[in-house]
Amino acid sequence: RGRYGCTALRHVTIKAFLLARTECTQRQWRAVMGYNPSRFGQSGPEAPVDSVSWHEINTFALKTRLLLPSSTQWEVAARARGVFPKGPALDDVAWFGGNSGGRTHGVRRKKPNGFGLFDMIGNVREWCEDSAFGVEVGDPPTDGSPWLDSDSLLRSLRGGGWFSPAYACDVRIRDAFMACAHNPNVGFRPMYPLR
């Protein structure tokens, strides 16, 4: 598995959830938090916010009542009942190392997936609620809930980003960073609570 480790397919049964069509933008972050931490501020207010830690996103979530998806929910949304494009088709759906020019871009500029979600495997990698993943800590639950470990300092990341090589833009890939990390390759996509 390793840094760009892929896990085997497994059957999951999850409840309905509502994920934002785009990554949280710099405009949205500033409206809630009052500042813009993004390294790529020059990419414009409709580019995804980047360089936010998992902890800062929790503050954002408390203010907005939004959530982070579990890693499993993220993957179900990214797959959109199908196989995600690779090869030449990747350029149509993702900003990645081969076409980004070394920066983020405004959301909704590439084609959406089958669920109408934009940039699922490109632009910025996305924080998830899970503590971590893989052989080191055990596989995530099969009911879609996040894998949580109160002792873990790592949080799950999904998707590729503006810097990623094409092979890393794969819905199966899981990674993790320290929850306190501020990385220009990382942003997030909020999930709306169902009433």
Side-chain angles (χ1 to χ4, degrees):
R1 295 183 195 193
R3 177 169 180 164
Y4 290 112
C6 296
T7 56
L9 288 177
R10 57 199 173 86
H11 181 76
V12 296
T13 303
I14 62 175
K15 294 179 182 175
F17 61 97
L18 185 60
L19 196 60
R21 293 186 74 195
T22 69
E23 296 154 330
C24 179
T25 65
Q26 294 178 29
R27 180 190 311 275
Q28 292 165 330
W29 181 271
R30 184 185 291 277
V32 172
M33 302 296 283
Y35 68 97
N36 183 4
S38 300
R39 173 179 170 189
F40 296 107
Q42 77 278 10
S43 293
E46 297 309 312
V49 68
D50 66 76
S51 305
V52 291
S53 72
W54 185 90
H55 293 303
E56 287 172 308
I57 294 167
N58 277 315
T59 302
F60 178 93
L62 287 172
K63 292 183 175 189
T64 61
R65 297 186 181 164
L66 299 176
L67 309 165
L68 279 176
S70 71
S71 183
T72 301
Q73 289 169 321
W74 186 95
E75 186 168 336
V76 167
R79 285 182 179 275
R81 292 191 204 114
V83 177
F84 222 91
K86 295 182 180 181
L90 180 63
D91 193 57
D92 294 336
V93 298
W95 294 109
F96 67 105
N99 67 4
S100 71
R103 66 179 181 88
T104 61
H105 293 265
V107 298
R108 297 180 192 236
R109 294 191 182 168
K110 294 288 185 177
K111 292 179 182 176
N113 73 5
F115 288 156
L117 305 174
F118 295 85
D119 300 309
M120 287 301 292
I121 56 170
N123 228 355
V124 290
R125 298 169 77 199
E126 300 179 15
W127 285 112
C128 291
E129 186 64 25
D130 304 62
S131 298
F133 63 91
V135 293
E136 296 86 0
V137 295
D139 288 326
T142 58
D143 66 356
S145 61
W147 194 99
L148 299 173
D149 176 2
S150 59
D151 294 329
S152 178
L153 300 176
L154 296 172
R155 293 294 169 170
S156 181
L157 289 173
R158 299 305 298 266
W162 57 266
F163 71 100
S164 300
Y167 72 83
C169 296
D170 188 313
V171 299
R172 299 169 297 168
I173 291 179
R174 302 168 182 267
D175 203 354
F177 276 174
M178 297 290 287
C180 60
H182 294 88
N183 190 303
N185 308 326
V186 178
F188 72 105
R189 180 181 307 263
M191 186 171 75
Y192 301 94
L194 292 177
R195 298 191 173 139

